[in-house]
Amino acid sequence: MSMHRKTITLTEQQDDWVKGQIESGQFGNDSEYIRDLIRRDQQAKERLATLRQALGEGESSGKPKPLDISAIKAAGRKRMKAAD
């Protein structure tokens, strides 16, 4: 994977925060910290897209049915017994 150099501007408070993250030993340098932030943002966006897709599928799946807690518990117990 090729690397690209970027120049960013931070406030003093933000720069102090980044330095603190590095001094804590979690990251080796500024670039590692920024790349971690980007990865986390990408993952959060992917989770949100998956959730939105699931919500859309649920909304378009038809009319809702009444919730039967007893049946849900019974099905769960059956699965637990089958797993043993």
Side-chain angles (χ1 to χ4, degrees), residues 12-63:
E12 185 174 341
Q13 180 185 14
Q14 291 168 333
D15 188 51
D16 290 342
W17 177 263
V18 172
K19 287 177 184 174
Q21 299 305 302
I22 295 164
E23 289 170 2
S24 74
Q26 294 180 347
F27 303 95
N29 56 44
D30 296 20
S31 293
E32 286 181 14
Y33 181 65
I34 299 299
R35 286 193 299 269
D36 183 67
L37 290 176
I38 292 169
R39 275 191 297 275
R40 290 175 190 229
D41 186 49
Q42 289 170 326
Q43 291 168 347
K45 298 284 191 292
E46 288 171 9
R47 286 191 303 270
L48 184 58
T50 300
L51 177 59
R52 285 185 172 145
Q53 180 180 354
L55 287 171
E57 289 171 3
E59 289 175 347
S60 64
S61 68
K63 191 171 181 175

Side-chain angles (χ1 to χ4, degrees), residues 73-84:
K73 288 180 179 179
R77 288 186 187 106
K78 186 177 179 180
R79 286 184 189 168
M80 294 285 286
K81 285 182 182 180
D84 289 340

